[in-house]
Amino acid sequence: MAVPALTPGIYEHYKGKKYFVLGLSRNTETNEVCVVYRPLYETDWPQLVHRNAEMFFEQVTVDGKTMPRFRLLG
């Protein structure tokens, strides 16, 4: 997968929670590219998390409507 350009900032997950996206990282062992972000809500888990870029940028279908898994808020 070619990784699209990533703009750091506030993104909304399709389920409604918001996250601050910091940027991309690369696993030095596997070369997998991930998006690094932190939740903008209270959690009991680590403040920085990551998701593989392929999944971050993919489209999901909910109730017959296709949308991005995460969308950049203006």
Side-chain angles (χ1 to χ4, degrees):
M1 169 194 174
V3 178
L6 177 71
T7 302
I10 297 174
Y11 283 72
E12 183 176 44
H13 187 266
Y14 75 94
K15 292 182 180 177
K17 291 188 175 178
K18 294 180 178 65
Y19 301 86
F20 186 81
V21 170
L22 298 160
L24 298 173
S25 68
R26 181 178 301 277
N27 182 308
T28 58
E29 297 295 321
T30 65
N31 279 331
E32 178 183 40
V33 175
C34 292
V35 177
V36 179
Y37 55 96
R38 67 177 173 84
L40 294 177
Y41 56 90
E42 193 170 320
T43 70
D44 58 355
W45 40 282
Q47 291 302 301
L48 288 179
V49 294
H50 72 271
R51 179 184 298 255
N52 70 43
E54 187 173 328
M55 185 181 285
F56 184 90
F57 289 111
E58 77 182 352
Q59 299 286 306
V60 296
T61 302
V62 179
D63 297 328
K65 182 179 177 186
T66 301
M67 64 191 76
R69 180 178 296 277
F70 289 89
R71 68 181 181 97
L72 179 62
L73 298 179

